[in-house]
Amino acid sequence: MSELCTSYIDGKWTSGEGAERIPVISPIDETQVAEVAEADANEVDRAVRAARAAFERGAWRHAPVAERQRVLRRIAALIRENADELAQRECANAGLPMRQIRERHVQRAAANFEFFADFIGQTANESYEQEPPFLTIVRREPVGIAALVAPWNAPLALATMEMAGAIAFGNCFILKPSELTPLEFVPLLELMKEAGMPDGVAGLVNGRGPVTGAALVGHPDIDVVAFIGGTETGRHIARSAGGNLKKYVAELGGKSANIITPQCDLERALDAALVGIFSNNGQQCLAGSRILVDRTIAKEFIANFVARAEKLKVGDPRMMETEIGPVISKAQYDRVLSFAADANVLTGGKRAEGFDKGFYVAPTVALAEDNSLPLCQEEIFGPFATFLTYDGIDQAIEIANQSEFGLVAYLWCDHMPTVMRAQDALQAGTIWVNTPLARDLRAPFGGYKNSGVGRTGGLSSRNLFTEEKVVTMPMREFPIAKLGQG
Ligand code: NAD
């Protein structure tokens, strides 16, 4: 499979002629699986104009809610029907284990569309009555053209959350996938057209961040920017969106603490700690990458964790039994292993055995002396767990909060007063208590501190993707002061 990934403008793929070509390398075996035909500023401008024209034609934004629901549900059904192709492409491209793509990512992509189909059929608008007898209603209109910039670590699951949110509320969008993972979006955009999306409503431009991404988010005719990716990129895009006074949401990096207390089911906590850091090849924003264990139970817990980490099935992600595949790129491979150089590595910290090609990192566990070390402060974004020990819950909370990030915090504890104290004191957008990685799409998701700006999900997505318009009118005749009568 080596194809040319071009732009999708007004319901058609462009030829890619004359565009700079960027090779797309599979992390599985370092072969080239595709080429990106990079959209330059002119092509991005064409994409934005096509989206604006579709928005003005109004076929989608003025479509009745029932029609938008029907199309969203049809997209979800088509994603499920085409799960094999989508999964194969995501696997070849991102190196994520096939089982995880089939069981989680593709299902989540479909669920994102279903969720917003249900949501727009259920939400009520605000209205207020006052004296003198005015009725004020708050109407919601689509914002217009949404620029959606997505990362490579869970391409389908993450991008579809923003795509579904944007179109559910009547907007047009232009997606800029990561230049490392363009492949899965080719069938997805076609399935959306097959489901009945009018041309121009869903658009896509491919290319590198500083070229295509920057041209898109800085385009003056973009109305809202939704970004998922790294914190530094988020800052860049915020300047651009802010400079144009556009709405902006950013879901950024994390270095989430997973606090294991002695008062919990330690076997479940161990299972969840492994899932928390090693699923998705360790490349997830909400990874529980700093595991804080009470000193009284640390020795045994860490030994059990290491034993299980050593038994993880690292391998070709196309095999259903594989639990950990390669990291996304050579650069990411080098970065992950660089953190092992000065660390107290308990296992891993090197290339996984048995692979000449591909970016396979052995599941790595390190024990850190101090939370100020880079491996406790920086997002490593790979199969790399860092342990810290603590004395008492107050110290655990202090360590958890000593971070520039605040996306998620995990707590394993059955003692209610401790749970209540910790959930109150932890600085993170989501606190999972005795719960591994469980997002409810109705709830707001986003980060404290450098983990993000704003929230998505349910009402938060509605706020992002709609403009509020207040309409006030009288319910009865009322007296108006008579000026100018002498
Ligand atoms: P990245 O920031 O390098 O890239 C993300 C996207 O931004 C890509 O499409 C890239 O091409 C684009 N981009 C880069 N520079 C740009 C610029 N100047 N202007 C416009 N666009 C630009 O992130 P990544 O390496 O693809 O993804 C990994 C990061 O994403 C991690 O930090 C991870 O924590 C974060 N992430 C966060 C969430 C969340 O919900 N909080 C979810 C997944 C990933």
Side-chain angles (χ1 to χ4, degrees):
M1 186 173 12
S2 182
E3 65 186 71
L4 185 61
C5 297
T6 62
S7 303
Y8 189 72
I9 300 177
D10 216 10
K12 288 173 273 310
W13 297 103
T14 60
S15 70
E17 218 172 287
E20 182 150 352
R21 304 270 178 109
I22 318 286
V24 180
I25 305 297
S26 174
I28 299 174
D29 52 12
E30 301 175 45
T31 55
Q32 182 175 319
V33 284
E35 268 183 313
V36 158
E38 185 164 74
D40 60 12
N42 283 335
E43 183 139 308
V44 168
D45 182 55
R46 277 207 309 123
V48 176
R49 283 170 194 270
R52 177 63 62 192
F55 189 72
E56 295 304 333
R57 285 195 297 274
W60 182 249
R61 75 167 150 145
H62 295 311
V65 168
E67 167 65 5
R68 275 189 265 142
Q69 287 180 299
R70 193 191 64 72
V71 174
L72 290 165
R73 293 201 175 106
R74 182 81 188 113
I75 296 170
L78 287 171
I79 288 174
R80 292 211 163 89
E81 280 167 33
N82 291 274
D84 280 342
E85 189 191 359
L86 291 166
Q88 278 160 15
R89 283 170 170 266
E90 181 129 313
C91 187
N93 205 175
L96 301 175
M98 187 56 107
R99 180 182 289 278
Q100 293 173 26
I101 300 177
R102 290 301 308 263
E103 290 175 4
R104 292 208 343 250
H105 296 236
V106 174
Q107 299 310 323
R108 169 67 196 283
N112 286 335
F113 289 97
E114 281 160 349
F115 169 75
F116 281 107
D118 292 344
F119 188 87
I120 57 174
Q122 294 293 328
T123 42
N125 276 334
E126 295 160 72
S127 78
Y128 304 96
E129 293 177 23
Q130 68 186 99
E131 279 301 319
F134 297 122
L135 171 66
T136 293
I137 56 174
V138 182
R139 302 194 57 220
R140 287 184 178 265
E141 297 178 350
V143 180
I145 315 302
L148 313 177
V149 182
W152 47 262
N153 65 308
L156 277 176
L158 293 170
T160 52
M161 181 71 188
E162 308 298 11
M163 294 158 84
I167 58 175
F169 298 105
N171 299 279
C172 299
F173 74 74
I174 297 160
L175 172 71
K176 209 297 281 172
S178 168
E179 59 276 29
L180 303 178
T181 52
L183 268 181
E184 41 280 65
F185 296 100
V186 178
L188 182 63
L189 270 286
E190 284 167 5
L191 295 176
M192 292 177 78
K193 179 163 177 154
E194 188 183 336
M197 294 293 307
D199 287 347
V201 175
L204 178 147
V205 287
N206 274 308
R208 289 164 296 182
V211 181
T212 313
L216 180 65
V217 300
H219 194 289
D221 205 25
I222 289 293
D223 299 296
V224 53
V225 178
F227 172 66
I228 307 176
T231 295
E232 269 323 297
T233 316
R235 274 187 221 283
H236 241 80
I237 298 182
R239 280 186 212 112
S240 192
N244 287 342
L245 300 178
K246 301 307 177 192
K247 292 178 102 173
Y248 174 62
V249 68
E251 301 192 341
L252 308 175
K255 187 73 186 179
S256 299
N258 181 0
I259 301 173
I260 317 288
T261 73
Q263 306 112 317
C264 76
D265 181 330
L266 285 169
E267 196 180 325
R268 288 176 66 75
L270 178 63
D271 290 342
L274 287 152
V275 170
I277 182 62
F278 291 125
S279 57
N280 228 53
N281 300 341
Q283 301 166 143
Q284 46 189 351
C285 55
L286 35 70
S289 50
R290 274 187 306 154
I291 309 176
L292 317 186
V293 195
D294 189 282
R295 197 178 301 282
T296 58
I297 54 166
K299 198 164 171 221
E300 194 180 344
F301 190 91
I302 296 171
N304 290 339
F305 186 97
V306 168
R308 292 274 293 277
E310 287 175 345
K311 285 199 210 134
L312 284 163
K313 292 196 184 68
V314 182
D316 186 326
R318 292 168 293 199
M319 314 307 258
M320 283 303 264
E321 66 272 17
T322 294
E323 293 174 308
I324 298 199
V327 296
I328 187 74
S329 63
K330 176 73 166 61
Q332 192 64 14
Y333 173 89
D334 290 340
R335 176 177 158 79
V336 173
L337 289 185
S338 74
F339 284 92
D342 301 320
N344 176 13
V345 172
L346 307 179
T347 188
K350 55 184 191 223
R351 187 175 182 79
E353 279 167 24
F355 300 95
D356 303 332
K357 288 267 174 208
F359 310 124
Y360 296 88
V361 174
T364 301
V365 184
L367 179 61
E369 285 291 302
D370 192 309
N371 188 46
S372 63
L373 294 170
L375 84 163
C376 299
Q377 290 297 319
E378 289 184 37
E379 183 182 44
I380 298 176
F381 225 56
F384 195 124
T386 302
F387 274 92
L388 284 153
T389 55
Y390 66 84
D391 297 298
I393 191 67
D394 287 343
Q395 192 183 29
I397 293 168
E398 194 183 318
I399 295 171
N401 287 344
Q402 274 166 5
S403 171
E404 67 165 299
F405 299 110
L407 193 57
V408 166
Y410 301 80
L411 174 67
W412 285 83
C413 184
D414 291 334
H415 182 248
M416 273 317 275
T418 305
V419 171
M420 293 315 287
R421 154 135 182 62
Q423 62 79 29
D424 192 46
L426 287 166
Q427 297 160 356
T430 298
I431 314 286
W432 276 316
V433 180
N434 299 341
T435 304
L437 310 174
R439 181 170 174 187
D440 188 322
L441 297 181
R442 292 167 296 186
F445 180 79
Y448 276 39
K449 302 192 263 186
N450 290 350
S451 286
V453 179
R455 299 289 185 268
T456 57
L459 288 169
S460 304
S461 293
R462 182 171 80 150
N463 288 339
L464 178 68
F465 288 121
T466 58
E467 195 68 86
E468 286 156 309
K469 178 185 275 177
V470 173
V471 181
T472 298
M473 51 203 144
M475 293 185 289
R476 309 184 282 284
E477 199 168 292
F478 62 95
I480 301 180
K482 290 186 179 297
L483 302 182
Q485 288 192 326

